[in-house]
Amino acid sequence: MFIGGGWRQTAARLPVEDPATGRVLCEVADASPDDGLDALAAAADAQGDWARTPARERSDLLMRAYRLLLEETDRLALIMTLEMGKPLAEARGEISYAAEFFRWFAEEAVRLDGGYMPAPGGGSRFLITRQPVGPSLLITPWNFPLAMGTRKIGPALAAGCTCVVKPAEQTPLSMLALADVLVRAGLPAGVVNVVTTSDPAAVITPMIMDERSRKLSFTGSTAVGKILLEQCARTVMRTSMELGGNAPFVVFEDADLDEAVEGLLAAKMRNIGQTCTAANRILVQRNVIDDFARRLTERMAALPMGRGTEPDAVVGPLIDSDAVTKVTDLVADAKQRGATVLLGGEADGRPGNFYPATVLTGVPDEAAMCHTEIFGPVAALTAFDTEAEAVERANDTPYGLIGYVYTESLRRGLRVSEALETGLVGLNQGVISNPAAPFGGVKESGLGREGGFTGIDEFLETKYIGVKV
């Protein structure tokens, strides 16, 4: 673990497994609740000095970390691939993506503004300033073990907040490597602390209940997010939540089908389908669904499966055996309800947590995979007839993170994009995440936004000072 500017080991150890083989790569510290509170104490002790640090100095630190991440792309990508499974090419892409959050928020750190105006009734002036929220708890997921860290740490540091980071127990190595990068960039002691644990609830709960914690930023499942929101309510803690998704991918009859297939591959197969933005329900207009399914099947059949370190691998392993079981059960349920398998459909028995690229068509709305994140390389196709039907079915979910629309009609594209009950829409584009754009969902997909001009607002309080004249 990394607490108060130093590395700490524990008697208890947390094994880190290679999902491609199931073998243990190494062991890291397994924190206790007391370790978590020590990390929070370090963050609280450092908060005052860090908040008073000039914005330019905070910006310069983030820029140094940005450059170090890019310089060490290959080393960090290998660490990520070994602990998480994604192919090396994707891991390198994540390092670049992660670094951009540091660069973006380095630029935002020096642009925090306020306001000044005369009172409408005269006699005083309104002075508006913004100040850091304070010590922040940042909980990151395993599917983007570095980028989800920089997306939270970047704005926290830029705003003047110290933090405690709890990475997913499956992928602690990337976050520990990031802590090392920040130290070499000049990070003061206690400003960022990293706590690794096999028992997140036991370690996080005392920190949430502690009044020194003033902000929680969480990326993970909706079920866990709801529990955390209940806990945060006890101290009225600021929260931002990036939760689950059930993304519709709508293809209209006038779409460029080749472009739509490529967009779907990006939206579905990125990270082996293990993303909250993955296309989950693929709705294709009836008179083109057979053609679309044929083209998609041809492309997915050509994707090599293998360990992420293999040079040609595109479909890597899922994160663990439970993930394989979940995907297997979802596909079996869809088949039992009448879906047709065009490609894949069952694990091939090789060692490791592999599941092949799979295409299903005729997936009925009652299928379990239409109501839960598949989190695997499974494309589930269903036909629709009218625009109104497509919108209704796309919105028929408690989730609302992202939706995708493919059409050559500008009018239809705008109509449907505005009608989708999601925080994000990809219009003729399969990947839209960008550090310069706000990311977040509506309904049960979350609260707040990360990235863009609004991302730093999550770590700032607005203060009004009335001045008598």
Side-chain angles (χ1 to χ4, degrees), residues 80-152:
M80 185 183 300
T81 291
L82 290 176
E83 70 172 347
M84 188 265 145
K86 69 179 65 181
L88 274 172
E90 277 200 52
R92 293 188 190 100
E94 181 175 337
I95 304 304
S96 176
Y97 177 55
E100 283 299 322
F101 283 105
F102 277 175
R103 178 159 73 160
W104 175 262
F105 286 110
E107 295 164 341
E108 288 301 288
V110 296
R111 292 179 173 82
L112 301 181
D113 57 10
Y116 177 87
M117 65 175 285
S124 67
R125 300 293 182 265
F126 297 167
L127 182 63
I128 310 300
T129 185
R130 296 200 290 171
Q131 298 177 322
V133 170
S136 302
L137 307 181
L138 313 178
I139 303 177
T140 61
W142 52 261
N143 54 349
F144 291 95
L146 199 71
M148 296 304 96
T150 60
R151 190 158 80 177
K152 298 178 188 298

Side-chain angles (χ1 to χ4, degrees), residues 370-445:
C370 293
H371 305 281
T372 186
E373 289 181 298
I374 300 170
F375 250 57
V378 177
L381 278 61
T382 303
F384 72 89
D385 293 302
T386 67
E387 178 182 318
E389 178 193 352
V391 170
E392 180 181 5
R393 292 171 65 182
N395 288 337
D396 186 20
T397 173
Y399 301 100
L401 182 58
I402 189 170
Y404 303 90
V405 180
Y406 273 78
T407 176
E408 292 296 284
S409 167
L410 177 61
R411 291 181 178 180
R412 171 185 279 161
L414 290 176
R415 278 197 313 268
V416 176
S417 294
E418 292 177 359
L420 290 180
E421 296 170 353
T422 59
L424 313 165
V425 176
L427 180 54
N428 293 325
Q429 190 171 349
V431 176
I432 66 169
S433 300
N434 190 296
F439 186 101
V442 299
K443 300 195 290 188
E444 293 191 16
S445 285

